[in-house]
Amino acid sequence: MEKEKELAGRCALAWEPSGLYQGKMEWQEEPEAAKEAAGCPSDRRVLFTCPEEGLDYLLYAADRDRDVCLSGYSWLCLEPEVLEGHSMCFQLSFYESRQERPEEGKPAREPEMRIIFGLLPGIRTMVPFDFRILDSQVIFPERTPGRLKMSIFGKPVRLADVKEIRLQTAPGFETFRFTAGECFLSKEFPDYGLPEKRLVDDLGQWTQKEWKGKVKDRQECTRLLRELLSRAEAAEEEEERRGTAFAFADWDAYGGWTKKKFQKTGWFHVERENGRYWLADPEGNAFLSTGLDCINPGEGTRLSPVLPFVGEKEREEYRKALAADEGRKEAKAPSRNSHARIGRKAYDFHNYGVENLRAAFGENWKECWMKIIRYDLCSWGVNTIGNWSDREFIRFARLPYVIPLDSFSEEGFPHTETAIFRDFPDVFAPEYEESAKRYAEGLAPFASDPLLIGYFMRNEPEWAFVYGLNIAEEMLANPAQTACRRVFVERMREKYGRIGRLNEAWHTSFAGFEGLGQAIYKAASLSDAAEADLKAFSEEMITRYVEIPAKALRQVDANHMNLGMRYAYLTDKSLLCGSQYFDVFSINSYQITPMEPVKKAADWLDKPVMVGEFHQGALDAGLTAHGIRGVTSQKERGCAYRYYLEQGLTHPHFLGAHYFQLNDQSCLGRFDGENYQIGLIDVCMREYQEMADAMRACHADMYRVAAGEKAAWDTVPEDIEPIHY
C-alpha cells in the first residue's frame, strides 16, 4: 500500500490527538455500498465526536514524521463528511514550533497561520489545501468542488519552517460529529467527484429539512409575491397623502428626526451638540443612519463547485453556456488546478430569487421587486440604502444612500502593478497617484445628489486582516524593488548616516545601505531598533495609502462626506493613520454590541463612528449556518438587533449601523461560499416577522434613545456559538 501511495505521489498522514479537546475517535471500515454512494471511496474512515469546546488533532509533526519532506508535495488533502443537520467550520493550523499542552487556565498558543473553511452537512468531499497560499498573499482562496468559503489568517509562513499541522473544529453549541477518510499529502491536485444529491428545490430552498414559513411550491410562491406587490402599491397612495413613506410621524422624508434641528445646508453633514455627534439631513433635521447592505433581487448561487446539488434544469443551462463560452476561446494549456477554477462568468451563477420573481411577474419583475422592497424598507424604518445595492433601485427609491466608491470606479481602489502585500499598493510610486485620480472620477456622477449621505473609500482591505501586521516588514520580505523600498532605504540613510550605525542598531552585517534592497524575512524581529524603524515607516505608508485618494476625491466632490475604509476590525493602532482625511470613521463590527470598536476608535480619534456591517442568524429557518453572529431563534434575532443598535446609540460618537444583508445567502454558497441565514427576507421574499417587528420598534424609538430621552433596550439575546467561515 505504501509503495502504491508513493507511486501515486501521495503520502498518508496519521491522526493523533494533540492533548487538547480530542473528543472521541473511532476507526470504521467503510461498507462497499457507502463507498460507491459517496463518490469519494476510502477504505477506512474515522468517526469523530466533538465536544462543545471543539476538536484538536495533530496531522503532521516534524519530529514524528521525520521521513516526510513537506516541500516535496503541493497539496494537503482531507476528506470529511459532516453528520449533523447543520454546516461545520474546520480549521487547519500551521505552527513554526512544537506545541506543549498549556497550563491549566491558560489559552493555547495561536498558530502562525490558520485556515478556516466550511462544509455542508451530509456531503462527503475532498478538501485540497494548496501549500502556495502559505505566503498569505490571498485571503479567500478559490472554491474547490463541494467546499464552502475558505479564509486565511496570519502572516506568511515558509513551508520549511512548519513544525506542526493540526486540524481543529470551531467551538459549537452542542456535541457534533463528522467522519474523515485518509489525510494525505499529494504532489498533484487530487482527482475526485461529488455524490449526486439534490439539496435545493425549484424555489432555491434547502431540501433537507422543514421549518415554519417554508413555501411548499411554485404556486404558493407566486401568490405570496403578488400579495406583497398589492400591499406596496396601496402604500404608494398613502405616501402621497402623508408626504413621507416612513411609518413614524416625527420622521421627515429623508428619515431624519423633526424634533431636533441643525443647520440646513442641502447636504448630509456632521453636527456635534453637547458632546454628542449627529448627522444632519439636507433639511437640517437630526439623522442617524439605519442602513441595509446588499439590496439586490435575490442572491446568486455559485454553480461551478456544486452542480451535483442542483436540479437538472440549472445544470443543463450551465453546461450549454459553458460550452458556448469555451467554443469562443483559444485553446490554452491548463494551469495546475484549472479543473477546480472556473472563471466567474454570469452563467456561473443561478439566482433563484430572480427566477421566483420572473415566474410571478414576467418581464416586469424588476419594477415589481423595487416597489416591494421600497415598501419593506420604509415599513421597517430603514432610512439608508447601504453598500453594494442595486443601482437602478437607488434611483427608483428616492431614499438616502451610501456608496462603496471602489465599486463605482472602473479600476477599483487605487492600485499599482506591483503590490507590497496582498492588496496594499506601492504607495510611493507615481503610478499610485495616477490611479487615485482615475478612481476619484467615479464620484463625479454623484457630486450633485443631496440623497447621497457619503461614500466609503473601500471595504475591508485584505492587507489589514493580519493582527500585528507591520506593512513595512512585508515590504522588505517582498523581493520586488518597489518605490516604497527605495524611499525606505533613503530614510535609513538619512537617519543613520553610516551603514555601521544601522548594522549596530539592527544587528545586521550589510556592506552598504543597498543591503536593504534584498528580501529580508521577518526584519522587525532583528532588533528593537529595526522594529521601531519599520513601524514608523509602516505608519507613513498607511497614511499615504489614505491621503492620496482622499485628496483626489475631495477635488472631485467637496459636498459629500468621506465615510472611511470600513475596516474589518482594528488589528493595530496603525490602521488609524490617515484618519484625519475622513469625516466619519467606519468599521464593521460583528459583536453583540458595537461598543468596543466604537469606544476604541472614539477614544483614539475623537471622530464620529459608523458601523458598516453587523448581523445575526439562526438555524430555525432554511439554511445551515448562522453567519458571524449566532442566536437561538428568529425571535432572538429580533432581540439581538434591538440590543445591538440601541446599546450603540448610548455612545455619543455612534452615528448608526448598516445591517448585512437584505436576502438570506444561497443555501449552497454565494460567490465565495458563504451560506448564512442572515437575511431580512428569504429566497421567496417572505420577511422574518419577529425580526421585522423588532426593527420597527427599535427605529421608532432610536432618536429618543440617542437623545437620552428613553432607555435603551437592555434584554440580552440568547447568543450561541455561531457557524461561520
Side-chain angles (χ1 to χ4, degrees):
M1 176 64 77
E2 292 302 319
K3 185 176 181 180
E4 290 175 2
K5 288 177 181 176
E6 185 57 39
L7 288 173
R10 290 167 52 149
C11 175
L13 297 175
W15 294 96
E16 181 182 321
S18 69
L20 289 170
Y21 314 135
Q22 65 190 53
K24 186 178 180 182
M25 170 179 163
E26 305 169 71
W27 281 98
Q28 299 179 333
E29 293 295 331
E30 186 79 339
E32 289 299 322
K35 285 192 284 185
E36 184 176 348
C40 306
S42 177
D43 292 327
R44 300 176 72 203
R45 294 187 68 77
V46 196
L47 171 63
F48 291 99
T49 302
C50 310
E52 291 183 21
E53 57 266 42
L55 195 75
D56 192 318
Y57 268 77
L58 187 67
L59 301 181
Y60 166 83
D63 55 356
R64 183 194 74 182
D65 301 299
R66 293 186 179 88
D67 296 333
V68 177
C69 178
L70 290 180
S71 61
Y73 298 92
S74 301
W75 303 87
L76 171 64
C77 303
L78 304 166
E79 189 192 12
E81 178 181 352
V82 177
L83 300 183
E84 306 300 331
H86 53 75
S87 294
M88 276 183 62
C89 179
F90 296 84
Q91 176 172 299
L92 275 172
S93 295
F94 291 77
Y95 298 88
E96 293 181 347
S97 61
R98 267 299 231 159
Q99 302 307 296
E100 301 295 332
R101 188 181 181 93
E103 296 179 22
E104 190 70 29
K106 292 188 177 180
R109 192 173 73 79
E110 281 290 308
E112 275 64 37
M113 178 175 284
R114 56 192 181 95
I115 296 93
I116 64 173
F117 61 91
L119 293 179
L120 290 166
I123 298 297
R124 185 180 306 175
T125 187
M126 190 73 70
V127 181
F129 173 78
D130 188 343
F131 280 142
R132 288 178 297 184
I133 58 179
L134 287 175
D135 65 8
S136 196
Q137 297 301 314
V138 174
I139 186 171
F140 303 119
E142 182 69 12
R143 289 179 71 183
T144 52
R147 173 177 60 73
L148 295 169
K149 187 177 181 181
M150 178 179 280
S151 304
I152 311 296
F153 296 93
K155 298 180 182 180
V157 173
R158 295 186 296 197
L159 196 57
D161 294 336
V162 172
K163 297 297 186 292
E164 279 190 3
I165 306 174
R166 296 188 187 184
L167 180 72
Q168 295 149 339
T169 63
F173 49 87
E174 61 185 4
T175 300
F176 45 89
R177 301 170 304 139
F178 72 96
T179 65
E182 179 183 82
C183 170
F184 62 92
L185 301 169
S186 177
K187 296 179 179 179
E188 302 293 336
F189 188 90
D191 185 21
Y192 68 98
L194 293 172
E196 295 282 333
K197 186 176 183 180
R198 187 168 186 186
L199 299 179
V200 290
D201 63 17
D202 290 340
L203 304 178
Q205 299 175 117
W206 186 245
T207 62
Q208 304 301 296
K209 72 175 181 180
E210 298 297 319
W211 63 91
K212 179 184 176 183
K214 187 175 185 179
V215 179
K216 64 180 181 180
D217 55 27
R218 171 70 62 202
Q219 184 177 4
E220 183 183 4
C221 181
T222 294
R223 177 181 60 79
L224 289 168
L225 287 170
R226 289 176 179 172
E227 288 176 356
L228 292 176
L229 179 62
S230 296
R231 183 181 65 176
E233 290 178 336
E236 289 178 357
E237 300 177 7
E238 178 68 11
E239 180 181 350
E240 290 182 11
R241 183 184 67 80
R242 295 178 60 247
T244 176
F246 295 107
F248 314 126
D250 54 359
W251 282 30
D252 66 15
Y254 293 99
W257 192 34
T258 59
K259 299 297 177 84
K260 181 174 286 294
K261 302 287 185 180
F262 294 109
Q263 182 184 8
K264 179 180 177 179
T265 66
W267 309 99
F268 283 91
H269 62 280
V270 172
E271 295 274 1
R272 195 174 196 180
E273 180 185 76
N274 299 324
R276 166 83 207 189
Y277 280 105
W278 299 85
L279 292 173
D281 70 22
E283 291 297 317
N285 293 319
F287 185 93
L288 295 169
S289 184
T290 63
L292 183 57
D293 290 327
C294 303
I295 301 175
N296 297 296
E299 177 87 18
T301 294
R302 176 84 180 278
L303 292 179
S304 50
V306 294
L307 276 180
F309 306 151
V310 300
E312 189 54 44
K313 173 176 174 282
E314 298 95 289
R315 296 191 216 183
E316 187 59 29
E317 289 176 354
Y318 173 78
R319 293 189 189 108
K320 286 180 180 178
L322 179 61
D325 188 55
E326 290 294 329
R328 291 189 292 268
K329 293 179 181 177
E330 295 180 4
K332 293 181 180 179
S335 63
R336 188 166 82 175
N337 65 336
S338 61
H339 55 295
R341 303 173 73 107
I342 301 174
R344 294 182 197 167
K345 307 290 187 180
Y347 56 76
D348 271 345
F349 297 89
H350 186 83
N351 192 318
Y352 288 97
V354 169
E355 289 299 310
N356 295 339
L357 287 161
R358 285 187 186 278
F361 304 120
E363 292 306 309
N364 196 37
W365 69 267
K366 184 69 174 289
E367 182 181 352
C368 297
W369 171 80
M370 291 193 294
K371 288 182 178 181
I372 293 169
I373 293 303
R374 185 178 187 277
Y375 169 83
D376 281 343
L377 297 187
C378 295
S379 169
W380 298 331
V382 172
N383 65 11
T384 304
I385 298 172
N387 263 18
W388 309 294
S389 293
D390 184 271
R391 299 184 190 188
E392 188 178 353
F393 178 74
I394 290 174
R395 293 190 295 270
F396 172 88
R398 307 183 308 281
L399 296 172
Y401 66 99
V402 296
I403 56 172
L405 195 58
D406 55 327
S407 296
F408 285 81
S409 171
E410 289 185 6
E411 59 181 59
F413 191 80
H415 60 279
T416 55
E417 184 175 354
T418 300
I420 299 297
F421 173 73
R422 293 187 178 172
D423 56 354
F424 194 95
D426 189 3
V427 294
F428 279 94
E431 179 188 357
Y432 185 63
E433 295 188 38
E434 294 163 7
S435 181
K437 291 176 183 177
R438 295 191 297 271
Y439 157 80
E441 291 170 2
L443 184 56
F446 303 92
S448 60
D449 189 353
L451 286 169
L452 177 64
I453 297 172
Y455 50 86
F456 295 104
M457 292 181 68
R458 66 166 306 171
N459 182 71
E460 296 187 349
E462 292 185 2
W463 59 268
F465 274 80
V466 180
Y467 278 93
L469 178 69
N470 185 321
I471 201 72
E473 180 182 46
E474 298 305 324
M475 172 200 67
L476 286 188
N478 185 339
Q481 297 304 301
T482 60
C484 285
R485 184 190 291 270
R486 290 193 293 273
V487 172
F488 179 71
V489 172
E490 287 308 307
R491 294 276 194 278
M492 295 300 97
R493 194 189 305 271
E494 292 167 4
K495 177 177 180 178
Y496 289 102
R498 293 182 292 102
I499 190 61
R501 293 177 62 191
L502 182 138
N503 283 333
E504 182 180 358
W506 277 45
H507 301 168
T508 51
S509 56
F510 297 129
F513 285 98
E514 296 77 13
L516 293 170
Q518 65 188 358
I520 307 171
Y521 185 62
K522 294 188 176 180
S525 64
L526 294 173
S527 71
D528 290 344
E531 182 179 17
D533 289 338
L534 289 166
K535 183 174 178 58
F537 193 67
S538 180
E539 292 176 354
E540 186 177 350
M541 291 170 71
I542 295 171
T543 299
R544 191 171 175 86
Y545 174 82
V546 177
E547 176 186 6
I548 290 174
K551 286 183 174 178
L553 289 166
R554 194 61 73 193
Q555 288 291 318
V556 172
D557 179 1
N559 296 319
H560 293 107
M561 291 184 292
N562 184 325
L563 303 176
M565 294 275 185
R566 289 169 61 120
Y567 288 113
Y569 29 77
L570 293 176
T571 55
D572 189 86
K573 197 172 182 179
S574 64
L575 292 187
L576 304 179
C577 293
S579 296
Q580 63 267 34
Y581 299 103
F582 303 148
D583 297 294
V584 174
F585 186 83
S586 57
I587 189 165
N588 299 338
S589 176
Y590 288 91
Q591 301 180 27
I592 194 167
T593 79
M595 295 299 278
E596 187 269 333
V598 169
K599 186 176 186 304
K600 183 181 290 186
D603 289 349
W604 286 346
L605 294 172
D606 193 26
K607 273 188 179 292
V609 180
M610 183 180 291
V611 172
E613 294 178 22
F614 75 105
H615 68 220
Q616 308 88 13
L619 294 179
D620 59 346
L623 287 91
T624 62
H626 304 98
I628 301 176
R629 201 85 209 174
V631 292
T632 55
S633 67
Q634 299 304 310
K635 180 181 178 182
E636 290 304 307
R637 286 186 69 206
C639 176
Y641 183 94
R642 288 200 70 174
Y643 190 72
Y644 186 99
L645 192 61
E646 294 192 31
Q647 289 296 310
L649 290 169
T650 65
H651 196 287
H653 288 68
F654 181 70
L655 294 181
H658 298 174
Y659 185 84
F660 190 90
Q661 58 183 40
L662 172 65
N663 300 288
D664 277 340
Q665 294 179 330
S666 166
C667 304
L668 301 179
R670 63 173 192 174
F671 65 92
D672 62 356
E674 286 186 9
N675 67 329
Y676 302 155
Q677 193 284 302
I678 52 175
L680 305 184
I681 59 175
D682 66 16
V683 71
C684 298
M685 291 189 65
R686 289 177 64 122
E687 71 177 10
Y688 290 103
Q689 190 65 54
E690 297 94 339
M691 184 72 163
D693 290 345
M695 291 175 69
R696 292 185 189 100
C698 174
H699 298 154
D701 290 337
M702 71 173 184
Y703 287 115
R704 283 179 285 277
V705 172
E709 298 174 6
K710 184 177 174 60
W713 179 265
D714 61 359
T715 301
V716 181
E718 294 180 12
D719 205 46
I720 61 174
E721 292 288 353
I723 301 168
H724 72 97
Y725 349 100

